[in-house]
């Protein structure tokens, strides 16, 4: 396993998105604290969920682009291990 | 529309869960900052997504228990409006 | 529990949608049988999944409109039981 | 693009799963036809959705194992194209 993660070149973007999600979640807590109407809170929870999923897709893209593709090029059993690991990660993402 | 939201009695629980999600997202940013392996980051993103979805389910439960049930008891068109609004909110949640 | 389901007036629509999903799934099996490219098969699987979710949303809408609203109007404990049951059903739908 | 899909060796399994989903959807139509209680229908719709998602995960696994890994080993731009295509496919699956 390399010490350089697949998202290395997108690191600033990933961090910026996570900061934004953190702000969204804090904003939702503020809405709840101020007794905002349930459906308006729910809409923001859905938006934050979608934002997290789009971070996941970016991480996934970078992981396959670098970690999986590199393992495939190096040959050996590592590529297959990486594919199994990736499939389980996508499974957790779609929760099937 | 009442000024008391459906989640009134669960407010402390909802706020505690949101604080926890905020902490999870901050923890994920720290993992990214420290170049944690992609799949481990993805696993935590999935966990935070699931935690947000369980907040959504709690809000939904409380909304139907109070806002929708109250509107139904009061009679009139408001109940139907509430049902349509709820269906759209669940639709955003499952993104179908 | 009434012998008339909430989807009574939408029954023909629900059945037509389900027949269409059945046809979609049969079409996907045909694509697989003819060695269609993985990504094209996956795209159709996503489309069928989305179609099933939209059937679920229609059933949910009708269930709340009739079964939950009726139980609320009748008073008693049944409304709360219906709300709990509904929340679990939405939970299975979003799999959180 | 090879004429042999990634799921070649799992083809019988993929087809068997799709036949089963087709049967599940037909069974749901029968439940609706017989006025089965909404929540029981919804439970089966969720089960069929989950079964479709697990077909998607199998296709995805096989696609990365063969098509993406092979493209990576051949070198050139095709690997990157395959990764982008895969990310969009996962995006449709999680609908983010």
């Amino acid at each position: 396993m390399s010490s350089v993660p697949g998202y290395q070149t997108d690191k600033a973007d990933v961090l910026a998105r996570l900061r934004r999600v953190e702000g969204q979640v804090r904003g939702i807590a503020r809405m709840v604290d101020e007794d905002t109407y349930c459906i308006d809170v729910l809409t923001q929870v859905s938006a934050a969920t979608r934002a997290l999923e789009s971070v996941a897709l970016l991480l996934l893209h970078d992981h396959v682009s670098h970690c999986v593709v590199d393992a495939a090029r190096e040959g050996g059993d590592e590529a297959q291990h990486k594919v199994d690991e990736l499939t389980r990660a996508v499974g957790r993402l779609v929760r099937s």
Side-chain angles (χ1 to χ4, degrees), chain A:
Chain A
M1 199 173 296
S2 164
S3 64
V4 176
Y7 52 79
Q8 192 60 41
T9 57
D10 283 328
K11 194 167 164 172
D13 184 14
V14 172
L15 284 171
R17 283 161 182 253
L18 287 169
R19 296 297 176 211
R20 223 171 305 136
V21 174
E22 202 192 314
Q24 278 178 288
V25 176
R26 198 160 34 234
I28 296 167
R30 204 174 313 119
M31 290 172 84
V32 168
D33 198 50
E34 294 168 355
D35 294 337
T36 305
Y37 181 52
C38 318
I39 295 289
D40 296 330
V41 179
L42 267 172
T43 300
Q44 292 311 310
V45 174
S46 295
T49 305
R50 219 157 20 238
L52 269 181
E53 284 171 345
S54 93
V55 173
L57 279 183
L58 177 54
L59 291 170
L60 191 101
H61 175 273
D62 289 353
H63 176 64
V64 182
S65 281
H66 297 102
C67 310
V68 178
V69 162
D70 288 355
R73 288 189 177 146
E74 280 164 25
D77 291 344
E78 185 58 15
Q80 199 49 54
H81 167 73
K82 284 261 178 297
V83 173
D84 294 344
E85 189 186 56
L86 172 79
T87 307
R88 285 192 299 272
V90 175
R92 282 189 292 269
L93 214 58
V94 302
R95 270 162 314 273
S96 73

